[in-house]
Amino acid sequence: MVTDHIADSISAVEDQHRVRFGRWLRGTLIGMTVITLAVIAGAVIAVCLLR
């Protein structure tokens, strides 16, 4: 009975961690995509201005 309770608690914490990590990973991916697009746009603008 105690072992089942501990196992359930561990499973709940693992599920919460998985959700939290997934959100963090998604946010990091979106942030890096925005930064990459900004750098590409800046390079294109710089090349166009230097012509």
Side-chain angles (χ1 to χ4, degrees):
M1 189 170 171
V2 173
T3 306
D4 289 337
H5 174 70
I6 293 171
D8 291 341
S9 297
I10 290 173
S11 294
V13 170
E14 286 177 341
D15 291 341
Q16 291 172 354
H17 175 71
R18 188 175 300 111
V19 168
R20 192 177 330 117
F21 182 73
R23 288 178 183 160
W24 175 83
L25 195 61
R26 188 178 316 119
T28 302
L29 175 64
I30 291 169
M32 292 304 293
T33 302
V34 168
I35 291 170
T36 301
L37 291 174
V39 169
I40 291 171
V44 168
I45 290 171
V47 166
C48 289
L49 290 177
L50 293 176
R51 279 188 176 190

